[in-house]
Amino acid sequence: MKIRKCTSADWKFLFSLRNDKVTRENSLNSDLVGESDHCSWLQQSLDNPCREIFILEMEGEPVAMIREDKESPQASEITLSWAVSSDQRGKGIGTKILETTVRDRVETFHAEIRDENTPSIRMAEKNGFVKFHSTSVGTSLYKKKGFYEIISDIERVRSTNNVNWMNILRLAFKHAPTEAKQMMGKVNENDQEISRLLKELAGK
């Protein structure tokens, strides 16, 4: 099993996959696509710095694709779409390509899935996606938080918790100022030791 970047030579596989009946039923746009329109779309996609298309191969043959779309090349959020060839469905291949794509990534991933597309919903949920919105057109939006968003969430919670710590400190100085001063002296000593250790770490 191998995942590689898509090239113009993949147009036939992607064309067949795009016009597959099940693929169209589960796509946001279910229209049949002509060959020339498809080739133009593929070339535009390959030239688009905000889009990446990857092909999953088995024994040298393409069996699935996954597409990443960003609003800008530097964006930290990615919208995904994927499809598996008709003769390879039900074998866990879609789950594999999705797992490989999102694993250990810093970005946050989004996917819009038709509500009746149970296999893709299960695949997304198995890979940590959570439903967060239902649309009026029979689809739902799913999200998997990346490292950057999780860190931002931690930062937000910690900023709120810092207020709580300061309120505890005010209570301590109000009701037991002598003991509070002694404790803060020990905290300051420990902070200085942490600062020394960080300098030691940075110097290595």
Side-chain angles (χ1 to χ4, degrees), residues 110-156:
H110 296 267
E112 184 173 358
I113 304 174
R114 289 195 177 278
D115 293 334
E116 65 270 19
N117 187 359
T118 304
S120 282
I121 292 173
R122 288 176 179 166
M123 184 194 316
E125 290 177 342
K126 188 174 181 179
N127 279 283
F129 283 75
V130 176
K131 177 180 175 179
F132 70 95
H133 179 68
S134 294
T135 73
S136 59
V137 292
T139 64
S140 293
L141 304 181
Y142 292 78
K143 174 167 50 169
K144 176 181 174 60
K145 291 182 180 180
F147 292 150
Y148 284 166
E149 186 169 355
I150 294 172
I151 291 169
S152 296
D153 288 345
I154 293 171
E155 183 180 23
R156 185 179 64 254

Side-chain angles (χ1 to χ4, degrees), residues 71-90:
E71 290 187 359
S72 72
Q74 295 78 32
S76 61
E77 298 197 2
I78 296 175
T79 299
L80 294 178
S81 58
W82 55 81
V84 179
S85 58
S86 59
D87 59 336
Q88 297 295 331
R89 292 180 184 130

